[in-house]
């Protein structure tokens, strides 16, 4: 079907019914997007035109297709909601009558047209409710009641209910003043008492169709948003509970009840809550049957209702001490939901809903006055012990054959579920205290020693999981059951990977306790080292060993050789994945840190020898994807080791080591780095353009530098030369980051800083060249360059006094960096200029560049402010504040000049607004928070949002 194309919109456009239909035809069916856009724009203008008041009715004609009728209804809503004042007051009543008639006409559908007409009628009501049509709701009730036959009655009720549903929603979405919104809400709320009987009447009609009852429930939810009286809604709520027995209405009834219960203001209606409580408790029978029938949807819905009441109104119900037994019954009901039979998420999905309730109940009990708190602790403390049993039962793994059938998504959901249970157990411990650990220990002891009733590995794993959950985050150093627990662990036959994993993680969670009880270490280490060669337990075992080496490093000297031998063996055999191998090297770093210097070097060379030899082989090979991966892996091992090998670390009981280290010495790490330096240099010559290899090599030196600090001095000159070669060949951000680290450590070391100065001059010159030729493809380099010079300004600003390092280069690179779309780069640039401006007095070159091009900086800042959202405004405002504080006279001259061009930085700004902004910025030299607010308001003005 072809039609004449719609013309571009113009003031003289003829918005006839035929033209509108042609435009809709073009919008819906023309394959050309450009033509669709033209039609869309034309139709928008048509809706805004005065003719729309007339053509909208013609479009609603019964002989039109639904799409055209829908546009007619939408146009009617647009006119009423946005162009109401265009309509003479004497036509309001006629419009009302026509609209009610159209709603009645479309009550049979199409649904989309009916809903849009109802929204239009709701909009009209909101315009007239406070003056010319104060009886709008009663008039609607009369207009849509009656009809012959059950079917016609249902149709008329559906139309009425649709209007009632959208009326509060239209109020919520309409832009109104706070005063008028409150007046309209109050007027509607007064009508609720007359609406409730009708809604109940409709619900109780035996012949009422399901969709009609569903709309009644939707109506209740919609009006609850108006804060109607919950007491007046009790009857409707009671009917909603009754509808839970009707399968086709169950989901809607659940949503209605949960929405009603979850209205926080309903806490004002304590009597209504108490009446609601028996209704919720009466659902226990239906819940029990649903569980027996494996009806997950029904059990899930009822659990939602119970949890909503308990969680939302826990404090209010606790305050009703005379009704404590009713609330206790609700808590027991929720506990039964927590212990829903079956495994989450395969057999049930309800238990996870309940976990936050237990936090709420505990917090609310502990916040009560002493008398009530004592009473409720007597009641609920035993119940929380029951909860722990339930949670541990729910955390149990299924049988191995069943678990093997689970999908990857189900296994991941189960893992997250166990994490949530772990968090809950940790919180419950705050209430139950050491008695909980004693309880778990006693049960574990019975399981492991009672040979007449063998326990499954799942039961043992669940108890250990409980221990681990608590020990992971709670200080249990005073517990007297930990020695017994560590004594029981060797009795466990770990015939499941899951059990063995939990054993390891439990030991890891006790690492801090072991640091205070080193006598227990030999047995624990023996168990961990035996498991180290099992690749299936890689994550658990390696993380546990790393934690032990970190926390207990000063007690590990007697066991150092055993640990080193075991670690070296698994590393050479490459049993573990790359990430876990890095953890092992970190563990070795902690271990070696506790040894005397004379032992460290030999052990270090022995440990690294196989990896250094492999690096030598790789350096002699032709580059390939496989050799690249191996190179990055070995460099990662070195950086992981050096990140934790801190020979300056001091610990209790290490007086002999500290005394030895107070003597002048060459750090063993430096010796090793000096040996591998030529090797790394050779490797980088082959991989200089491979970011991954260069980054891994820079990480070796960066991690070492952070740990060695000034002990790194012998390597400074060599490293500066290497960085210069790397950056000259192929500029990369990691080289600049490493340079920044050198500046940070050696800024105050006169004898070591000259090579760093030379390096700064070189990388600055190269980066300037990059900006001249377009640095847009290298935002990471621009980011790191900004950070580097921010570090230099903070630590060694006098370096800009030399002729070799031109601060103007940094300034202009910064100006260009403001144009980058990447947020981190702009943040780094803001930090640079904030610091740079603070040196306008002590660095003449800074003052000079600000005098020459401060105007350019301000124009760039204003341009950035005018187009930025809130995320960067705070940092941009700090640059303004720095100028106001450190060079106010310069700012006062240049800021007005920057704002002088018409339409800059936004065409929406008036000269008065610009001047006001200048005055506010220039006035504030003390509070950067006030400057931030000024800049934020200015940004909103620029974007037309203020």
């Amino acid at each position: 079907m072809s039609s004449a194309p719609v013309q571009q919109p113009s003031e003289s456009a003829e918005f006839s019914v035929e033209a509108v239909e042609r435009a809709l035809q073009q919008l819906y069916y023309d394959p050309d997007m450009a033509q669709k856009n033209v039609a869309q724009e034309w139709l928008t203008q048509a809706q805004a035109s005065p003719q729309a008041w007339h053509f909208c009715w013609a479009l609603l004609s019964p002989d039109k297709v639904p799409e055209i009728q829908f546009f007619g209804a939408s146009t009617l809503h647009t006119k009423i909601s946005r162009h109401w004042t265009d309509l003479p007051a004497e036509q309001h009543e006629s419009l009302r009558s026509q609209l009610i008639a159209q709603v009645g006409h479309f009550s049979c559908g199409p649904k989309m047209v009916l809903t849009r007409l109802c929204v239009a009628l709701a909009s009209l009501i909101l315009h007239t409710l406070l003056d010319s049509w104060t009886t709008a709701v009663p008039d609607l009730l009369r207009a849509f009641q009656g009809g012959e036959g059950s079917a016609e009655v249902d149709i008329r009720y559906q139309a009425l209910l649709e209007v009632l549903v959208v009326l509060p929603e239209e109020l919520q979405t309409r832009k109104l003043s706070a005063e008028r919104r409150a007046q309209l809400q109050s007027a509607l709320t007064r009508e609720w008492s007359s609406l409730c009987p009708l809604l109940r009447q409709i619900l109780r009609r035996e012949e009422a169709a399901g969709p009609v009852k569903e709309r009644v429930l939707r109506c209740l939810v919609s009006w609850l948003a108006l804060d109607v009286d919950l007491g007046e809604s009790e009857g409707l709520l009671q009917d909603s509970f009754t509808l839970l027995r009707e399968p086709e209405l169950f989901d809607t009834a659940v949503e209605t009840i949960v929405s009603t219960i979850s209205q926080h203001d309903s806490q004002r209606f304590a009597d209504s809550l108490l009446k609601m409580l028996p209704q919720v408790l009466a659902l226990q029978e239906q819940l029990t049957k649903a569980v027996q029938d494996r009806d997950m949807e029904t059990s899930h819905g009822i659990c939602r209702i119970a949890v909503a009441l308990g969680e939302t109104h826990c404090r209010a119900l606790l305050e009703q001490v005379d009704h404590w037994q009713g609330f206790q019954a609700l808590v027991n009901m929720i506990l039964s939901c927590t212990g829903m039979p079956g495994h989450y998420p395969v057999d049930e999905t309800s238990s996870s809903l309940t976990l936050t309730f237990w936090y709420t109940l505990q917090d609310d009990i502990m916040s009560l006055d002493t008398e009530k708190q004592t009473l409720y602790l007597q009641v609920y403390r035993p119940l929380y012990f029951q909860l722990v049993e339930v949670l541990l039962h729910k955390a149990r793994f299924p049988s191995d054959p069943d678990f093997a059938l689970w999908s990857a998504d189900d296994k991941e959901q189960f893992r997250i579920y166990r994490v949530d249970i772990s968090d809950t157990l940790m919180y419950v411990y705050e209430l139950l205290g050491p008695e909980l650990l004693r309880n778990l220990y006693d049960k574990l002891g019975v399981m492991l020693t009672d040979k007449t009733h063998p326990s499954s590995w799942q039961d043992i794993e669940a108890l250990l999981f409980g221990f681990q959950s608590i020990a992971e985050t709670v200080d249990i150093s005073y517990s007297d059951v930990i020695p017994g627990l560590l004594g029981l662990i060797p009795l466990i036959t770990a015939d499941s990977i899951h059990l063995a994993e939990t054993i390891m993680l439990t030991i890891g969670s006790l690492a801090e306790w072991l640091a205070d009880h080193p006598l227990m270490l030999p047995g624990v280490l023996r168990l961990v080292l035996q498991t180290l060669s099992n690749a299936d337990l890689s994550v658990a075992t390696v993380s546990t060993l790393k934690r032990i080496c970190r926390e207990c490093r000063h007690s590990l000297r007697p066991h150092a050789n055993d640990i080193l031998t075991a670690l070296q063996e698994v590393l050479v055999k490459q049993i573990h994945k790359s990430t876990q191998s890095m953890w092992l090297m970190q563990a070795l770093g902690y271990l070696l840190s506790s040894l005397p210097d004379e032992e460290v070097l030999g052990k270090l060379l022995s440990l690294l020898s196989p990896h250094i030899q492999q690096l030598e082989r790789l350096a002699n090979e032709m580059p390939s994807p496989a050799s690249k991966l191996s190179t990055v892996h070995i460099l990662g091992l070195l950086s992981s080791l050096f990140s934790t090998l801190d020979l300056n670390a001091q610990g209790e009981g290490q007086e002999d080591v500290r005394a030895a280290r107070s003597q002048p010495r060459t750090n063993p790490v430096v010796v090793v780095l000096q040996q591998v330096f030529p090797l790394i240099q050779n490797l980088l010559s082959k991989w200089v353009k491979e970011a991954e290899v260069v980054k891994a090599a820079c990480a070796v030196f960066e991690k070492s530098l952070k740990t060695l600090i000034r002990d790194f001095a012998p390597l400074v000159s060599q490293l500066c030369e290497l960085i210069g070669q790397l950056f000259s060949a192929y500029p990369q951000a990691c080289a600049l980051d490493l340079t920044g680290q050198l500046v940070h450590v050696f800024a105050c070391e006169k004898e070591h800083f000259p090579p760093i100065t030379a390096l700064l001059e070189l990388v600055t010159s190269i980066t300037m060249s990059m900006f001249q030729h377009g640095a847009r493809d290298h935002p990471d380099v621009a980011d790191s360059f900004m950070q580097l010079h921010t570090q230099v300004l903070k630590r060694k600003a006098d370096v800009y006094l030399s002729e070799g390092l031109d601060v103007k280069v940094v300034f202009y690179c910064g100006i260009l960096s403001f144009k980058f779309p990447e947020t981190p780069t702009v943040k780094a640039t803001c930090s640079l200029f904030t610091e740079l401006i603070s040196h306008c007095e002590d660095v003449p070159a800074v003052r000079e560049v600000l005098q020459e091009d401060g105007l350019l900086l301000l124009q760039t800042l204003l341009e950035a402010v005018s187009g930025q959202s809130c995320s960067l405004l705070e940092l941009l405002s700090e640059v303004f504040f720095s100028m106001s504080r450190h060079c106010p006279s310069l700012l006062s001259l240049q800021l007005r000049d920057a704002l002088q061009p018409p339409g800059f930085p936004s065409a929406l700004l008036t000269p008065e607004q610009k001047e006001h902004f200048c005055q506010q910025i220039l006035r504030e030299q003390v509070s950067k928070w006030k400057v931030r607010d000024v800049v934020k308001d200015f940004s909103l003005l620029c974007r037309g949002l203020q």
Side-chain angles (χ1 to χ4, degrees):
M1 178 178 175
S2 62
S3 60
V6 175
Q7 302 300 312
Q8 288 283 354
S10 66
E11 291 183 10
S12 59
E14 180 61 36
F15 299 115
S16 65
V17 175
E18 294 76 14
V20 172
E21 290 193 43
R22 283 199 304 273
L24 287 169
Q25 181 77 15
Q26 188 170 311
L27 177 66
Y28 288 130
Y29 302 111
D30 196 314
D32 186 347
M33 281 305 300
Q35 290 299 316
K36 285 180 179 287
N37 291 336
V38 170
Q40 177 72 55
E41 190 178 349
W42 189 92
L43 287 166
T44 301
Q45 194 170 10
Q47 284 187 319
S49 70
Q51 295 99 309
W53 284 110
H54 306 288
F55 71 64
C56 63
W57 301 107
L59 296 178
L60 288 167
S61 174
D63 60 338
K64 305 296 183 184
V65 295
E67 290 84 356
I68 290 177
Q69 293 173 333
F70 178 77
F71 184 77
S74 295
T75 300
L76 194 52
H77 174 244
T78 300
K79 299 306 291 181
I80 293 172
S81 60
R82 300 181 187 175
H83 303 277
W84 178 253
T85 54
D86 296 346
L87 192 70
E90 59 270 17
Q91 295 183 26
H92 290 178
E93 189 170 347
S94 171
L95 173 64
R96 178 208 311 171
S97 301
Q98 280 182 280
L99 191 46
I100 291 175
Q102 288 290 347
V103 170
H105 175 74
F106 281 94
S107 56
C108 295
K111 175 71 165 59
M112 63 177 184
V113 181
L114 173 63
T115 300
R116 211 70 200 139
L117 287 170
C118 291
V119 173
L121 182 53
S123 185
L124 186 148
I125 291 171
L126 294 180
H127 277 301
T128 57
L129 184 63
L130 299 179
D131 39 60
S132 61
W133 197 17
T134 56
T135 58
V137 174
D139 290 350
L140 283 178
L141 298 186
R142 284 191 295 272
F144 288 100
Q145 289 194 62
E148 297 179 6
S150 177
E152 187 178 341
V153 171
D154 276 355
I155 288 170
R156 296 181 70 81
Y157 275 147
Q158 284 193 56
L160 171 63
L161 291 168
E162 192 66 30
V163 178
L164 294 176
V165 167
V166 300
L167 184 54
E169 294 171 357
E170 182 71 3
L171 176 60
Q172 300 299 326
T173 56
R174 178 76 72 83
K175 289 183 179 179
L176 297 166
S177 67
E179 182 183 4
R180 184 164 180 82
R181 185 182 302 279
Q183 290 172 344
L184 285 168
Q185 181 168 327
S186 176
L188 288 175
T189 303
R190 287 194 295 271
E191 303 293 344
W192 183 239
S193 58
S194 60
L195 269 180
C196 282
L198 173 65
L199 295 177
R200 292 200 72 186
Q201 176 188 329
I202 297 172
L203 273 184
R204 294 183 165 200
R205 284 180 63 242
E206 293 185 6
E207 62 273 25
V212 176
K213 293 182 178 180
E214 192 171 329
R215 274 194 174 86
V216 172
L217 297 178
R218 283 181 54 209
C219 187
L220 172 57
V221 172
S222 182
W223 282 69
L224 281 169
L226 299 178
D227 196 24
V228 296
D229 193 324
L230 185 61
E232 294 177 346
S233 313
E234 285 177 6
L236 272 174
L237 190 58
Q238 185 177 341
D239 293 339
S240 301
F241 275 97
T242 304
L243 292 177
L244 290 171
R245 301 285 179 180
E246 299 185 21
E248 70 277 8
L249 292 172
F250 179 83
D251 290 340
T252 308
V254 168
E255 293 297 335
T256 302
I257 294 168
V258 169
S259 296
T260 306
I261 291 173
S262 300
Q263 295 289 326
H264 285 278
D265 285 347
S266 60
Q267 292 182 12
R268 289 178 292 148
F269 308 107
D271 291 342
S272 298
L273 288 175
L274 292 174
K275 291 176 184 176
M276 199 185 302
L277 190 55
Q279 294 176 304
V280 175
L281 295 176
L283 298 175
Q284 181 68 63
E285 182 182 344
Q286 189 176 355
L287 174 62
T288 303
K289 186 176 185 307
V291 171
Q292 291 171 349
D293 296 343
R294 296 180 177 275
D295 182 353
M296 289 174 63
E297 290 186 6
T298 299
S299 58
H300 189 85
I302 294 175
C303 282
R304 283 186 62 198
I305 292 171
V307 170
L309 180 59
E311 201 169 306
T312 309
H313 306 293
C314 184
R315 179 62 185 252
L317 291 169
L318 283 171
E319 293 285 0
Q320 304 297 316
V321 180
D322 294 340
H323 299 86
W324 67 270
Q325 290 173 313
F327 182 59
Q328 186 184 20
L330 176 67
V331 174
N332 281 317
M333 184 178 180
I334 296 174
L335 182 62
S336 72
C337 294
T338 305
M340 189 73 65
H343 284 99
Y344 180 94
V346 174
D347 304 315
E348 60 89 12
T349 56
S350 306
S351 58
S352 62
L353 300 174
T354 67
L355 298 181
T356 52
F357 166 74
W358 301 109
Y359 291 80
T360 304
L361 177 59
Q362 182 175 328
D363 286 344
D364 286 343
I365 289 174
M366 300 311 292
S367 67
L368 293 170
D369 60 65
T370 306
E371 185 179 350
K372 290 179 182 175
Q373 187 183 124
T374 303
L375 168 67
Y376 282 122
L377 283 176
Q378 290 175 352
V379 174
Y380 289 111
R381 189 175 164 84
L383 187 137
Y384 266 90
F385 277 106
Q386 281 182 259
L387 172 65
V388 171
E389 289 185 27
V390 169
L391 291 174
L392 293 179
H393 182 76
K394 293 297 295 181
R396 291 172 77 256
F397 279 91
S399 66
D400 290 332
D402 287 346
F403 197 62
L405 297 175
W406 284 21
S407 68
D409 185 54
D410 286 339
K411 289 178 179 178
E412 176 61 12
Q413 285 193 55
F414 182 62
R415 184 193 67 78
I416 295 170
Y417 178 65
R418 279 172 54 101
V419 171
D420 292 339
I421 288 178
S422 177
D423 292 341
T424 309
L425 288 169
M426 176 271 293
Y427 206 74
V428 168
Y429 181 81
E430 299 295 327
L431 179 71
L432 301 181
E435 189 179 345
L436 174 56
L437 288 179
R438 167 62 63 182
N439 186 290
L440 295 177
Y441 171 71
D442 290 342
K443 288 180 180 176
L444 182 62
V446 171
M447 280 187 186
L448 295 176
T449 56
D450 186 359
K451 303 301 181 184
T452 58
H453 299 89
S455 299
S456 67
W457 70 260
Q458 287 93 338
D459 291 326
I460 296 170
E461 191 277 337
L463 280 172
L464 287 175
F465 172 75
F467 269 110
Q468 180 216 338
S469 300
I470 296 165
E472 198 68 61
T473 50
V474 177
D475 180 13
I476 56 168
S477 57
Y478 51 81
S479 174
D480 59 350
V481 304
I482 304 303
L485 171 64
L486 290 172
L488 288 175
I489 285 177
L491 302 179
I492 301 172
T493 304
D495 48 6
S496 161
I497 287 294
H498 301 300
L499 175 57
E501 195 173 60
T502 302
I503 290 172
M504 283 298 110
L505 293 174
T506 302
I507 292 173
S509 69
L510 299 173
E512 290 185 36
W513 185 90
L514 288 167
D516 296 327
H517 303 82
L519 292 177
M520 303 296 294
L521 271 173
V524 168
L525 281 172
R526 190 161 47 248
L527 185 59
V528 175
L529 295 178
Q530 285 171 356
T531 316
L532 194 59
S533 58
N534 188 337
D536 292 331
L537 295 172
S538 181
V539 173
T541 307
V542 173
S543 64
T544 293
L545 182 59
K546 177 185 169 183
R547 292 178 73 170
I548 290 174
C549 288
R550 183 183 66 219
E551 302 298 337
C552 311
R553 71 180 86 172
H554 304 301
S555 304
L556 292 179
R557 283 177 64 184
H559 316 288
N561 288 331
D562 292 337
I563 299 173
L564 285 167
T565 302
L567 288 179
Q568 197 157 6
E569 181 181 344
V570 296
L571 284 167
V572 170
K573 291 181 179 179
Q574 296 185 349
I575 290 173
H576 301 286
K577 292 180 181 178
S578 182
T579 302
Q580 282 70 56
S581 296
M582 305 302 164
W583 294 355
L584 286 174
M585 293 303 271
Q586 290 172 353
L588 279 167
Y590 290 126
L591 177 64
L592 293 172
S593 300
S594 65
L595 302 181
D597 283 5
E598 61 272 13
E599 293 183 26
V600 173
L601 183 57
K603 292 186 184 335
L604 195 54
L605 291 173
S606 172
L607 172 71
L608 294 178
S609 179
H611 305 296
I612 293 173
Q613 289 171 10
Q614 191 178 354
L615 265 187
E616 289 173 344
R617 287 195 299 273
L618 291 167
N620 294 321
E621 290 179 6
M622 290 295 293
S624 68
S627 62
K628 175 185 168 182
L629 283 175
S630 298
T631 301
V632 170
H633 175 70
I634 295 172
L635 291 173
L637 293 178
L638 293 176
S639 60
S640 296
L641 173 64
F642 296 150
S643 70
T644 57
L645 207 172
D646 184 5
L647 298 181
N648 295 313
Q650 298 180 352
E652 295 180 14
Q654 298 291 298
E655 290 79 7
D656 54 336
V657 175
R658 285 204 298 274
R661 288 181 183 163
S662 64
Q663 305 302 318
R665 82 228 190 268
T666 300
N667 194 298
V669 175
V670 174
V671 176
V672 173
L673 284 172
Q674 287 172 329
Q675 288 187 16
V676 300
F677 199 98
L679 189 54
I680 294 177
Q681 201 166 16
N682 187 17
L683 278 166
L684 287 175
S685 67
K686 294 186 174 185
W687 296 102
V688 69
K689 291 189 177 182
E690 285 293 338
E692 204 174 343
V693 177
V694 175
K695 190 174 182 180
C698 288
V700 172
F701 297 110
E702 189 176 359
K703 301 291 186 185
S704 307
L705 186 53
K706 285 180 178 178
T707 309
L708 294 171
I709 313 297
R710 290 182 178 81
D711 285 352
F712 193 87
L715 291 160
V716 169
S717 184
Q718 271 182 291
L719 183 57
C720 287
E721 186 179 345
L722 176 61
I723 295 172
Q725 293 169 356
L726 284 173
F727 203 75
S728 299
Y730 193 77
Q732 296 193 44
C734 56
L736 294 175
D737 296 336
L738 184 53
T739 305
Q741 193 66 32
L742 284 168
V743 171
H744 178 75
V745 174
F746 292 102
C748 300
E749 305 284 332
K750 288 186 179 180
E751 60 179 302
H752 298 300
F753 207 77
I756 299 176
T757 302
L759 176 61
L760 283 171
E761 293 172 1
L762 176 64
V763 298
T764 300
S765 173
I766 293 170
T767 307
M768 177 190 69
S769 177
M770 181 189 294
F771 270 93
Q772 287 173 338
H773 294 90
R776 181 63 201 89
D777 295 333
H778 305 279
D780 57 334
V781 175
D783 184 352
S784 293
F785 185 71
M786 297 296 111
Q787 291 188 50
L788 169 61
H789 278 281
T790 303
Q791 183 74 267
V792 175
L793 285 162
K794 287 179 177 179
R795 301 283 292 164
K796 192 76 172 171
D798 59 359
V799 77
Y800 295 104
L801 299 174
S802 67
E803 294 182 2
L805 195 59
D806 190 353
V807 77
K808 293 182 180 180
V809 170
V810 181
F811 181 90
Y812 295 123
C813 289
I815 294 292
L816 293 173
S817 295
F818 269 125
K819 310 289 185 181
F820 279 55
E822 288 80 9
T823 298
T825 305
V826 180
K827 282 185 175 181
T829 307
C830 289
S831 299
L832 169 75
F833 277 104
T834 301
E835 190 64 35
L836 181 79
I837 293 165
S838 70
H839 291 281
C840 67
E841 293 299 327
D842 56 311
V843 180
V846 172
R847 184 168 61 254
E848 184 180 331
V849 75
L850 286 174
Q851 287 172 342
E852 291 178 4
D853 279 311
L855 180 62
L856 175 62
L857 171 60
L858 286 170
Q859 288 171 336
T860 307
L861 281 171
L862 290 166
E863 195 174 345
V865 166
S866 68
Q868 284 293 350
S869 56
C870 294
S871 59
L872 287 171
L873 288 178
E874 185 173 330
L875 288 165
L876 289 166
S877 69
E878 288 187 13
V879 184
F880 279 109
F881 178 69
S882 188
M883 289 196 76
S884 178
R885 187 172 187 179
H886 298 288
C887 40
S889 57
L890 199 61
L891 180 64
S892 64
L893 290 171
Q894 294 177 339
L895 184 56
R896 286 187 172 86
D897 289 343
L899 286 166
Q900 191 172 8
F904 180 84
S906 167
L908 300 173
L909 293 174
T910 64
E912 292 77 17
Q913 289 170 333
K914 291 182 181 182
E915 178 59 28
H916 183 60
F917 173 69
C918 287
Q919 291 174 0
Q920 287 182 300
I921 290 291
L922 294 170
R923 186 186 306 129
E924 192 52 63
Q925 297 179 16
V926 177
S927 172
K928 67 178 180 180
W929 304 114
K930 290 182 180 178
V931 173
R932 181 197 62 183
D933 292 339
V934 170
V935 171
K936 181 181 175 182
D937 290 342
F938 186 71
S939 176
L940 293 173
L941 284 171
C942 289
R943 289 179 285 149
L945 300 175
Q946 182 81 306

